[in-house]
Amino acid sequence: MSPNVPLDTVSVIGLGYIGLPTAAVLAQAGKTVIGVDVKQTNVDAINAGTVPFVEEGLESVVAGVVAQGKLSAQLETPKADAYIVSVPTPFKGDHDADLSYIESAASGIAPKLTGGELIVLESTAPPGATERMAEVILEARPEFTGEPNLPNSLYFSHAPERVLPGRIMIEMVDNDRIIGGMTPEAAELNRDLYASFCRGELLVTDAKTAEMAKLTENAFRDVNIAFANELSIIADRQGIDVWELIELANHHPRVNILQPGPGVGGHCIAVDPWFIVSADRQFSNLIRTAREVNDSKPELVIEKVLEKADKFKHPTVAALGIAFKANIDDLRESPSRNIAGSLAERLTDGTVLVVEPNVDELPQELAARDNVELAELDVALERADIVLLMVDHDPFKEIDRTLLQEKIVIDTKGLWR
């Protein structure tokens, strides 16, 4: 039985790709939501009813709940009945998790607590991160306890997201969720809060298992992508069309090989498996190898382009797509973004024309290069000697193939087979 704790006012710490949608659906469900972000520009945009990034369906929801007074944003952590921490969890050193953002968020929450609050870590994190968040808060406020059902109780839980960029507003509501409490009472409170907006099944467990479950989901996908990527390398060396090979193999009733690409990007699959590796370096051999295979794929793409570029005195490469997946503007951990930068660095007498229909300006490391331009698709195709397809955005599917006939085409996604 969950404690009798009000959950009417919720503060979401971190208004990024997960935090803002979470805040929006909670506000849509009737909660009073106060978002907290470190960027004034994000705060101003949200308070104006707009969003600082592209996500299908998000802006209309944000505009509505802001107009209703159910969602606001600010720089400082407020008092609230519940806190949801949705901040970055990058890695450092030898792929160890950097928990400094979580610790900073916890330090900001601690002074605002009066007892009875629910504090949820939603950031994807290694086993023990929720416990570390609790430690930071309880060390700052020793008068409180993580034991349940006392006047000075605090309730700590972990509820990892499992949504797909481009479908976040649908999957945030419809997908099943894992709820991992540091105590059963914390899990019940967390489930009560998420039941206000989530139609999927809410699966209750302990915090450490919930942390590991999210990492396991992404490591599973990473291992399967690595198989496809490694297969593509071997097939290329053997003169075999990997796309036909996979298509044929997948006719087996128990085989479902994924599609290869230029690498693996995003803040989930490219990062989370390393948290398992860092948690147990002795027995995570398969997971580590999969990460190494996927991390090595961009260099092979670069080498293939450079080999073709040697045919030209001043080669021009059209790099199609630098987002980490199709039809989004998210460039985090994008292998395509890194490939474009490496090509620009190595093609000292060449030009890289970046075509990314979902952004209005290049990231700084590309914009600062004299031989890199953000170009429209038709202009890039006309000027290019080499067309390198790295992301299967919808506009690229519709290209008139006759425009490619006189070009060297390197299609890492099998889009133009």
Side-chain angles (χ1 to χ4, degrees), residues 332-356:
R332 292 178 299 172
E333 309 294 334
S334 170
S336 305
R337 171 182 178 172
N338 294 334
I339 288 169
S342 293
L343 286 173
E345 182 177 354
R346 299 193 210 183
L347 291 172
T348 55
D349 293 325
T351 301
V352 177
L353 303 175
V354 174
V355 181
E356 179 45 73

Side-chain angles (χ1 to χ4, degrees), residues 214-272:
K214 173 59 187 293
L215 304 181
T216 298
E217 292 165 8
N218 284 331
F220 173 84
R221 296 172 66 198
D222 197 43
V223 168
N224 283 274
I225 295 169
F227 178 80
N229 276 335
E230 187 167 278
L231 194 63
S232 74
I233 296 165
I234 296 168
D236 191 48
R237 289 167 58 84
Q238 296 295 323
I240 296 170
D241 181 344
V242 69
W243 314 103
E244 180 186 5
L245 176 65
I246 290 173
E247 187 177 287
L248 292 170
N250 281 348
H251 276 276
H252 188 290
R254 288 172 295 280
V255 173
N256 183 25
I257 303 168
L258 302 181
Q259 299 298 300
V264 173
H267 193 62
C268 291
I269 302 179
V271 175
D272 297 352

Side-chain angles (χ1 to χ4, degrees), residues 320-333:
L320 305 192
I322 58 168
F324 83 81
K325 66 182 291 291
N327 302 319
I328 63 171
D329 68 341
D330 193 344
L331 309 184
R332 292 178 299 172
E333 309 294 334

Side-chain angles (χ1 to χ4, degrees), residues 79-337:
K79 290 182 181 289
D81 301 321
Y83 295 87
I84 297 175
V85 176
S86 185
V87 296
T89 48
F91 48 69
K92 60 183 179 180
D94 189 18
H95 297 107
D96 292 317
D98 179 357
L99 301 184
S100 61
Y101 294 92
I102 294 173
E103 292 168 347
S104 177
S107 296
I109 292 169
K112 306 297 181 179
L113 300 173
T114 59
E117 290 90 349
L118 169 68
I119 302 104
V120 179
L121 177 62
E122 189 159 304
S123 306
T124 303
T130 306
E131 185 176 352
R132 176 57 189 153
M133 179 182 73
E135 285 176 355
V136 170
I137 290 174
L138 294 175
E139 286 170 4
R141 300 293 302 275
E143 69 271 31
F144 292 117
T145 178
E147 295 299 316
N149 299 321
L150 298 170
N152 61 340
S153 293
L154 299 175
Y155 299 89
F156 299 96
S157 188
H158 180 56
E161 53 80 18
R162 42 157 62 143
V163 293
L164 183 70
R167 288 180 49 85
I168 290 177
M169 297 305 290
I170 297 170
E171 298 195 356
M172 184 78 70
V173 173
D174 290 344
N175 286 1
D176 296 345
R177 292 293 291 262
I178 298 171
I179 306 292
M182 284 187 59
T183 62
E185 292 80 4
E188 291 298 318
L189 268 180
N190 191 171
R191 183 168 66 177
D192 290 347
L193 177 61
Y194 279 48
S196 68
F197 68 86
C198 182
R199 293 194 291 256
E201 187 175 358
L202 299 171
L203 307 163
V204 172
T205 184
D206 61 272
K208 189 170 284 189
T209 302
E211 289 162 341
M212 190 66 172
K214 173 59 187 293
L215 304 181
T216 298
E217 292 165 8
N218 284 331
F220 173 84
R221 296 172 66 198
D222 197 43
V223 168
N224 283 274
I225 295 169
F227 178 80
N229 276 335
E230 187 167 278
L231 194 63
S232 74
I233 296 165
I234 296 168
D236 191 48
R237 289 167 58 84
Q238 296 295 323
I240 296 170
D241 181 344
V242 69
W243 314 103
E244 180 186 5
L245 176 65
I246 290 173
E247 187 177 287
L248 292 170
N250 281 348
H251 276 276
H252 188 290
R254 288 172 295 280
V255 173
N256 183 25
I257 303 168
L258 302 181
Q259 299 298 300
V264 173
H267 193 62
C268 291
I269 302 179
V271 175
D272 297 352
W274 285 120
F275 294 161
I276 299 179
V277 174
S278 66
D280 191 333
R281 295 187 183 278
Q282 182 178 359
F283 291 105
S284 54
N285 298 316
L286 177 62
I287 296 169
R288 181 178 58 250
T289 300
R291 274 283 74 235
E292 290 169 349
V293 168
N294 287 331
D295 279 351
S296 70
K297 189 68 186 293
E299 181 60 29
L300 295 172
V301 173
I302 292 165
E303 289 174 1
K304 183 177 284 190
V305 175
L306 294 177
E307 180 185 345
K308 301 297 184 183
D310 279 344
K311 302 177 185 296
F312 304 93
K313 187 175 182 180
H314 300 290
T316 298
V317 178
L320 305 192
I322 58 168
F324 83 81
K325 66 182 291 291
N327 302 319
I328 63 171
D329 68 341
D330 193 344
L331 309 184
R332 292 178 299 172
E333 309 294 334
S334 170
S336 305
R337 171 182 178 172

